[in-house]
């Protein structure tokens, strides 16, 4: 579904991604782990071209995104939902409006229909009673669940998560992971950057370990957590587990 | 410095746009033809100079009346055209003439040698004399030029009287634009005397028992003793035609008739002697001036806010653009407008436009204030957009929204909320600063205040009322903005 060929990304002289090759297939749930600064976020943001790659190509559902014109790129981005560490909900919109604005304004979905979908999705993430609440009145966990629903409202083929629980108080992590687990079970293709090793073990089909701009090791959760091959993976896991 | 280059480019652009390749002038014989073709004679004057020109209510309508205006009417009748009067500040009259905003200037103007260098004059239609105005209580102390030796004497800036005042030995001279301010300065003991045009001084002294005036006995050139009509250089055909009318006026002794009629208009505006009744009578007599002024001030401010917001948003987006030229153009504009006084911008737009087509003063004023506020609003909006967290745009883009949609639906509304207080300040500034357009004769609040001061012979009361009106405007605007700020707040 997504194919990454020789992806490189530099910020000025700082080469953050150094030749990444990877493929994500339909329905697969992949968790990306690695030390801080290793390039996980940058990698994820390159997938939907929020960051422009310096070199290499990203192919999504058969279309090469790199070098694509603005208009087509916007269309393809609609198929790739993204959830941010800081939620990034639109503070001047209610929960429901957060879910309907993009479908109505940019996808041309009928307002009434968008409303219905929004209500359904909010219920799905357990926030059926918060339609008209503004983000500021919601807890972190609730905001992140709205953010997930917002991405789902575009009916994406893949969901990208960048540390969705890192900004949350510990007691709220569970409710968000639960929503993500349900999503995974429903067959959604997901790429998740996270430090939640429990989630990775339980939900992931595959775990990628990134370090210093490379994907150092890739395998099933079992392989990575119980029997890491690379020295750097072992070192990292010994610190976090 | 790339900014400097853009700036210079903009300057050059301006000069190309506004300065005609060769001066438009001297159409021999055609000036008269032109006026007759257009069917109206546009006369510039400065209506704060009774009995020559001032406001009075005629048939229930306020208009500029006075001796000069009756002469103007006679000339227009003789030429077979309509008369249109434009009331402009005295300082701006000759620039307005040269810039073709008006056809002639009739404003009790003395044809000094200095002025003759820039414009032509008709024959002298009124021989005048120069007075000295003092406080009534000083009547016994000051009675000659010599008696004012070494004292502070006021004059209207740019006037003949400014030159004459130098004949007072060792006098310290204070020049102000507005005659009413001079009178106020005299009454509040800031100056000891004013050199004033004779009939005008008598008109004031006749209406104010605190004032006393006497003929100054200044030495003057022949030219300096009269009033004449000013024309653009080289429009001889028009001058000749006007001189014919003036000759007729002289022959039939019409001036005296005109002066008597002007006296009647002035009597209309006379006030009660009793102190308390003056105030009630004052509002009753002049509220229309204040109302008109307030409405025009509101019109200018509202238009400037509206167009300024559109222009400002556009400029802000241009400044955030990635295209170098677009960005530099907007930057140069903003820097240039913020780096020059609004006063000059207003005059520039009014006079420069006069060279090509006749833009009404109000329109010119609105354009100038809008162009000016656009630059300030652009900066406010730009900082507002920058203040919106980058994650907002990223979230919108990740949903597949286009750059424009993200700006329009996500970033801009939040920016607006952040900058609301700053925008409110700008709106209040616009209300106050729009008063500058009074220099080109737009009848907004400050302008009307000047008018009321000149016809009511009251110095302070009109100022006080105007101050209250401005405060009422800005205060209610502040309240209104606070209300909307509250409604935008969802945090
Ligand atoms: N916009 C940017 N400009 C310059 N440098 C950047 C930018 N974004 C990231 N970097 C740098 O790229 C490197 C990798 O950053 P990235 O955010 O991808 O790491 P990460 O693996 O997500 O780390 P963390 O676990 O802390 O989120 C870091 O050294 C960071 O400083
Ligand atoms: Mg990161």
């Amino acid at each position: 579904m997504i194919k990454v060929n020789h992806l490189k990304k530099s910020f000025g002289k700082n080469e953050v991604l150094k030749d990444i090759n990877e493929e994500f297939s339909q329905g697969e749930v992949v968790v990306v782990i690695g030390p801080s600064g290793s390039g996980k976020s940058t990698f994820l943001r390159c997938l939907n071209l929020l960051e422009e790659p310096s070199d290499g190509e990203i192919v999504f559902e058969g279309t090469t995104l790199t070098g694509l014109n603005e208009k087509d790129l916007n269309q393809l981005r609609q198929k790739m939902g993204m959830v941010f560490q800081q939620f990034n909900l639109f503070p001047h919109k209610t929960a429901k409006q957060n879910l309907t604005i993009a479908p109505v304004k940019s996808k041309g979905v009928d307002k009434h229909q968008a409303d219905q979908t929004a209500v359904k999705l909010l219920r799905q993430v357990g926030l059926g009673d918060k339609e008209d609440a503004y983000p500021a009145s919601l807890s972190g966990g609730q905001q992140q669940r709205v953010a997930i629903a917002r991405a789902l409202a575009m009916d994406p083929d893949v969901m990208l998560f960048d540390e969705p629980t890192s900004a949350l108080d510990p007691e709220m992590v569970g409710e968000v992971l639960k929503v993500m687990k349900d999503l995974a079970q429903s067959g959604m293709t997901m790429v998740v950057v996270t430090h939640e090793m429990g989630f990775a073990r339980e939900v992931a089909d595959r775990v990628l370990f990134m370090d210093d701009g490379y994907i150092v090791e890739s395998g099933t959760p079992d392989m990575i957590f119980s029997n890491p091959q690379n020295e750097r993976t072992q070192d990292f896991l010994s610190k976090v587990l | 410095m790339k900014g400097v280059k853009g700036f210079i480019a903009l300057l050059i652009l301006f000069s190309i746009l506004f300065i005609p390749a060769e001066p438009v002038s001297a159409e021999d014989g055609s000036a008269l033809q032109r006026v007759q073709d257009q069917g109206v004679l546009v006369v510039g004057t400065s209506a704060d100079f009774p009995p020559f020109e001032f406001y009075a209510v005629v048939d229930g309508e306020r208009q500029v009346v006075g001796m000069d205006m009756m002469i103007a009417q006679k000339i227009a009748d003789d030429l077979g055209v309509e008369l249109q009067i434009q009331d402009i500040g005295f300082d701006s009259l000759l620039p307005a003439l040269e810039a073709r905003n008006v056809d002639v200037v009739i404003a009790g103007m003395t044809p000094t040698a200095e002025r003759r260098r820039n414009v032509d004059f008709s024959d002298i239609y009124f021989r005048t004399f120069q007075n000295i105005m003092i406080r009534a209580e000083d009547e016994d102390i000051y009675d000659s030029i010599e008696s004012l030796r070494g004292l502070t004497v006021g004059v209207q800036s740019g006037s003949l009287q400014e030159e004459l005042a130098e004949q007072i030995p060792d006098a310290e001279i204070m020049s102000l634009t507005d005659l009413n301010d001079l009178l106020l300065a005299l009454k509040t003991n800031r100056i000891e005397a004013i050199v004033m045009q004779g009939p005008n001084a008598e008109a004031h002294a006749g209406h104010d028992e605190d004032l006393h005036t006497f003929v100054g006995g200044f030495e003057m050139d022949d030219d300096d003793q009269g009033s004449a009509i000013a024309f653009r250089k080289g429009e001889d055909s028009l001058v000749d035609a006007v001189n014919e009318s003036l000759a007729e006026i002289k022959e039939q002794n019409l001036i005296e008739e005109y002066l008597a009629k002007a006296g009647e208009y002035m009597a209309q505006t006379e006030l009660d002697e009793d102190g308390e009744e003056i105030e009630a009578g004052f509002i009753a007599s002049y509220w229309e001036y204040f109302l008109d002024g307030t409405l025009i001030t509101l019109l200018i401010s509202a238009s400037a806010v509206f167009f300024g917001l559109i222009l400002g948003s556009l400029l802000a987006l241009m400044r955030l653009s990635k295209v170098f030229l677009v960005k530099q153009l907007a930057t140069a504009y903003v820097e240039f407008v913020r780096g020059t006084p609004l006063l000059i911008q207003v005059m520039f737009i009014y006079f420069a436009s006069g060279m090509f087509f006749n833009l009404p003063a109000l329109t010119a004023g609105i354009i100038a204030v809008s162009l000016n506020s656009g630059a300030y609003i652009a900066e406010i909006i730009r900082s507002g957009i920058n203040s919106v967290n980058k994650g907002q745009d990223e979230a919108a883009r990740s949903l597949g929204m286009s750059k424009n949609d993200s700006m329009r639906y996500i970033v801009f509304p939040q920016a607006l909320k952040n900058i609301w207080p700053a925008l409110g300040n700008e709106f209040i500034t616009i209300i106050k600063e729009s008063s500058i357009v009074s220099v080109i004769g737009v009848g907004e609040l400050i302008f009307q205040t000047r008018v009321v001061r000149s016809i009511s012979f009251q110095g302070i009361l009109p100022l006080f009322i105007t101050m209250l009106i401005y405060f009422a405007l800005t205060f209610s605007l502040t309240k209104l903005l606070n209300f909307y700020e509250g409604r935008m707040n969802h945090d």
Side-chain angles (χ1 to χ4, degrees), chain A residues 11 14 16 35-42 51 163 195:
Chain A
F11 294 107
N14 180 14
V16 177
S36 181
S38 57
K40 304 182 297 293
S41 296
T42 308
E51 296 292 356
E163 301 198 30
H195 293 296

Side-chain angles (χ1 to χ4, degrees), chain A residues 27-42:
Chain A
E28 192 179 27
V29 176
V30 179
V31 166
V32 183
I33 60 171
S36 181
S38 57
K40 304 182 297 293
S41 296
T42 308

Side-chain angles (χ1 to χ4, degrees), chain B residues 287-302:
Chain B
W287 65 271
E288 270 187 80
Y289 294 83
F290 290 109
L291 179 66
D292 279 9
T294 306
L295 290 179
I296 297 207
T297 288
L298 282 176
L299 173 70
I300 297 170
S301 311

Side-chain angles (χ1 to χ4, degrees), chain B residues 41 43 51-53 64-79 83 85 104-109 122-127 227-229 231 241-250 253-259 261-262:
Chain B
L41 179 71
V43 171
F52 293 83
E53 40 265 332
V64 182
V65 297
M67 185 189 91
D68 280 349
M69 297 305 103
M70 292 181 238
I71 293 175
Q73 189 60 60
K74 162 107 174 92
I75 292 171
D77 291 346
D78 289 350
L79 294 177
L83 173 65
I85 295 168
V104 297
V105 167
I106 311 183
M109 188 176 273
S122 69
D123 295 338
I124 285 177
Y125 61 84
F126 185 72
R127 295 246 155 231
S227 304
I229 300 172
F231 302 83
V242 168
N243 276 339
E244 268 176 46
S245 299
L246 291 179
E248 228 172 86
I249 289 174
K250 199 171 201 175
N253 242 335
L254 290 175
I255 289 280
E256 274 180 33
E257 191 183 305
Y258 291 166
L259 267 178
K261 197 132 177 253

